[in-house]
Amino acid sequence: MSLDRRPDGLDDDTVAAVGKVSEAMEWIERARGRLYDFHQLSGHADLLVGQAVEALRDAGHDEQADRLERELVGRNVLDGRWTFQVVEEYDDHYWSVARELAAAVQDELTDGVRHVHEAEMKADRITPGHPRHRPTPPDA
């Protein structure tokens, strides 16, 4: 089975350019993942600070517990925002737009065929006849 995904008439420069759009989108997805990491890490830390407040109180340190509770528990990470709001803004104002535009470029220039550039890279790097260099899974 072949890895040829290139629509008829698609030139090398267009394949490379659409490949760059795809690569950029992969980095945007990675950035979004890091933002979700930040969201979860910050949220977990806030819960731990809440537990620390209780532990300080149990140990008789009400002044320190009160200060942490007042100043840190539930605090905005950015002015007026918890991390879920940061994630929502990123998703709504950047990530979703990037996905739409990347999909439009792919639809318009490669007839919606994904990873043309990558498939051609794979085809160039296959060792013919090597069982671990098959173009596709054996049942495909």
Side-chain angles (χ1 to χ4, degrees):
M1 183 167 258
S2 171
L3 276 171
D4 186 21
R5 295 181 175 205
R6 186 184 287 221
D8 290 338
L10 190 60
D11 63 275
D12 291 343
D13 290 342
T14 301
V15 168
V18 174
K20 278 293 178 194
V21 172
S22 178
E23 181 182 8
M25 196 61 222
E26 290 171 6
W27 281 92
I28 290 167
E29 292 288 359
R30 291 181 69 192
R32 183 174 184 250
R34 297 301 194 287
L35 192 55
Y36 273 82
D37 287 343
F38 168 70
H39 164 60
Q40 291 179 337
L41 290 167
S42 294
H44 186 71
D46 186 66
L47 294 174
L48 290 173
V49 172
Q51 292 172 7
V53 165
E54 294 306 314
L56 286 166
R57 281 206 177 96
D58 290 346
H61 304 290
D62 290 337
E63 182 181 331
Q64 290 81 5
D66 290 346
R67 187 171 59 228
L68 279 175
E69 186 171 50
R70 181 180 61 251
E71 297 295 331
L72 193 54
V73 172
R75 186 181 183 100
N76 290 326
V77 297
L78 297 175
D79 193 16
R81 290 180 184 83
W82 270 21
T83 58
F84 77 88
Q85 293 166 303
V86 176
V87 168
E88 287 177 352
E89 277 192 48
Y90 183 84
D91 281 357
D92 294 347
H93 296 282
Y94 189 80
W95 174 79
S96 62
V97 173
R99 281 182 48 107
E100 288 174 22
L101 292 171
V105 166
Q106 183 176 284
D107 288 345
E108 293 163 11
L109 299 179
T110 67
D111 295 329
V113 178
R114 296 180 296 167
H115 299 110
V116 174
H117 179 73
E118 290 87 341
E120 292 181 1
M121 281 177 45
K122 179 177 181 176
D124 287 344
R125 296 176 66 84
I126 287 176
T127 301
H130 191 290
R132 296 291 183 199
H133 284 224
R134 277 185 270 235
T136 59
D139 58 352

